[in-house]
């Protein structure tokens, strides 16, 4: 049994990388199972991920119901079953999954090296914009990509690098190379004067929304439209209650004897405080810290805001620190 485990934040890059790496590792005699490292119910908190997975899997005659999520796995029995674990988009098991460390056989990641899992082979930790780039390189070495796999890997490369924008400073030459390789293998919706008329492709708007149903659609015409559609969905969090904002993109570490959690919220703190009072936000953070048995919770918010009337929106970050009551 080989499991390919994405990181616990469960973002687009983590999910796509786990699925793509499992595809590469699967052979005629041994299947690798990608594990989406969040609870199945929590996929609903990630509309960008749900749309991409639903679209890509439909191209394979499958659905998200066919995926394995963290709460589907009996983690305690993996060792006795002789399971091997590969890590995608992280290079050390999360604090709550630290018992998996002896089972880790391979790593493909682009984050800072935590200097653990030294026996993993390969132990690939390369500084690129997206882990999906590293997975795409492995898919490319094995041959062509199925259109479903191509869009699954291209999407996080674009999202993580702001559509390969040089001004963002995230994309590397390797990201750009794999994006160029994947792009012609995606089954893009037809557009332009030579596109057939009267077809469902005519119902796709520039924002990637199905004009007939107002439902988000990935029947898009280009990488730029794919990026805009998913980036817009990723930022739609204003409807979430405080607890869901804190748990949507959450990671946890053991720092010495201290338990430290980080909640990344794609909504600027000033906007959050306009909707919920400071007391409500502080109370929610303290409750989440207590629920996760943390000593410290870091809440990092990010996004675009207009600094003053008439100004363009600019990207920025905020940091709030909460301590669990003891």
């Amino acid at each position: 049994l080989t499991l390919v485990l994405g990181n616990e934040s469960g973002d687009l890059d983590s999910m796509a990388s786990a699925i793509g790496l499992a595809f590469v590792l699967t052979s005629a005699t041994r299947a690798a199972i990608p594990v989406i490292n969040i609870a199945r119910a929590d996929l609903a908190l990630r509309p960008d991920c749900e749309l991409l997975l639903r679209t890509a899997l439909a191209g394979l005659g499958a659905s998200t119901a066919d995926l394995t999520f963290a709460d589907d796995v009996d983690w305690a029995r993996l060792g006795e079953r002789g399971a091997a674990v590969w890590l995608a988009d992280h290079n050390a098991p999360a604090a709550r999954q630290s018992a998996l460390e002896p089972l880790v056989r391979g790593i493909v990641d682009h984050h800072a090296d935590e200097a653990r899992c030294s026996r993993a082979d390969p132990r690939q930790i390369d500084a690129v914009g997206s882990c999906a780039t590293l997975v795409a390189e492995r898919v490319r070495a094995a041959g062509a990509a199925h259109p479903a796999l191509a869009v699954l890997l291209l999407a996080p490369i674009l999202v993580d690098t702001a559509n390969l924008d040089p001004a963002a400073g995230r994309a590397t030459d390797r990201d750009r190379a794999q994006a160029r390789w994947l792009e012609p293998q995606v089954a893009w919706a037809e557009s332009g004067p030579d596109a057939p008329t009267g077809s469902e492709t005519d119902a796709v708007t520039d924002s990637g929304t199905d004009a007939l149903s107002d439902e988000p659609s990935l029947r898009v015409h280009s990488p730029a439209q794919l990026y805009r559609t998913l980036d817009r969905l990723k930022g739609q969090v204003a409807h979430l209650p405080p607890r869901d904002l804190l748990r949507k993109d959450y990671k946890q570490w053991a720092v010495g004897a201290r338990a430290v959690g980080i909640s990344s919220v794609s909504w600027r703190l000033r906007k959050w405080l306009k909707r919920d009072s400071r007391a409500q936000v502080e109370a929610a953070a303290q409750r989440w810290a207590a629920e996760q048995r943390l000593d410290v919770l870091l809440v990092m918010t990010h996004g675009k805001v207009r600094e003053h009337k008439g100004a363009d929106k600019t990207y920025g970050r905020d940091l709030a620190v909460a301590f669990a009551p003891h």
Side-chain angles (χ1 to χ4, degrees):
L1 176 65
T2 298
L3 299 182
V4 183
L5 187 62
N7 74 46
E8 65 178 332
S9 71
D11 63 4
L12 205 64
D13 194 25
S14 175
M15 295 185 188
S17 295
I19 295 172
L21 186 55
F23 171 84
V24 173
L25 294 175
T26 293
S27 66
T29 59
R30 188 179 181 96
I33 302 172
V35 178
I36 308 302
N37 203 5
I38 58 173
R40 184 177 295 273
D42 287 353
L43 182 61
L45 299 177
R46 299 160 172 82
D48 55 327
C49 299
E50 194 279 334
L51 177 60
L52 178 64
L53 290 177
R54 175 161 48 84
T55 301
L57 291 171
L60 299 171
S63 72
T64 55
D66 299 307
L67 292 174
T68 300
F69 287 78
D71 49 351
D72 297 323
V73 179
D74 185 351
W75 299 102
R77 296 189 60 191
L78 289 183
E80 63 186 62
R81 296 182 63 185
V85 174
W86 281 62
L87 303 181
D89 202 29
H90 60 316
N91 57 77
R96 66 188 71 195
Q97 295 172 332
S98 58
L100 297 178
E101 189 160 340
L103 306 180
V104 174
R105 299 291 181 268
I107 293 171
V108 178
D109 183 37
H110 69 133
H111 294 96
D113 192 345
E114 295 191 37
R116 292 166 56 192
C117 304
S118 59
R119 295 182 181 179
D121 182 20
R123 192 174 184 279
Q124 182 182 12
I125 305 173
D126 294 346
V128 292
S130 172
C131 186
T133 291
L134 305 179
V135 176
E137 290 176 343
R138 291 172 176 266
V139 173
R140 187 174 187 176
H146 185 282
L149 184 59
V151 73
L152 190 69
L153 293 174
L154 178 61
I157 294 174
L158 299 178
V159 170
D160 283 1
T161 64
N163 199 25
L164 304 171
D165 183 1
R170 303 176 197 167
T172 68
D173 288 343
R174 292 170 72 178
D175 297 298
R176 285 183 279 269
Q178 297 314 307
R180 285 194 301 270
W181 177 70
L182 290 166
E183 180 182 344
Q185 300 181 78
V186 175
W188 302 107
E190 296 183 67
S191 62
D194 296 326
T197 59
S199 71
E200 65 178 3
T201 60
D202 296 326
V204 180
T205 70
D206 185 61
S207 65
T209 299
D210 188 329
L212 299 181
S213 67
D214 290 329
E215 288 295 323
S217 166
L218 274 191
R219 296 199 309 276
V220 293
H221 310 302
S222 67
Q225 192 182 20
L226 174 65
Y227 165 73
R228 287 195 301 269
T229 301
L230 294 174
D231 188 58
R232 184 176 292 111
L233 282 175
K234 180 181 178 181
Q236 290 179 359
V237 299
H239 65 290
L240 295 176
R243 184 177 181 276
D244 285 349
L245 286 172
L246 293 169
R247 70 189 183 95
K248 178 177 183 290
D249 186 349
Y250 174 77
K251 296 179 182 178
Q252 185 172 325
W253 289 268
V255 182
R258 304 291 185 183
V260 179
I262 298 181
S263 293
S264 180
V265 180
S266 54
W267 199 30
R268 288 294 295 275
L269 185 59
R270 67 184 69 180
K271 291 185 175 180
W272 189 357
L273 292 173
K274 280 185 178 180
R275 190 195 72 177
D276 302 323
S277 70
R278 175 170 176 168
Q280 289 175 313
V281 173
E282 288 179 350
Q286 288 188 334
R287 283 194 299 269
W288 179 249
E291 183 179 336
Q292 302 305 309
R293 299 181 180 179
L294 300 176
D295 295 290
V296 181
L297 172 65
L298 305 178
V299 182
M300 300 190 303
T301 70
H302 58 94
K304 291 184 176 182
V305 294
R306 188 172 284 106
E307 297 295 338
H308 53 82
K309 189 175 181 179
D312 292 334
K313 289 185 176 181
T314 56
Y315 183 85
R317 296 176 180 270
D318 311 294
L319 176 64
V321 182
F323 298 92
H326 291 296

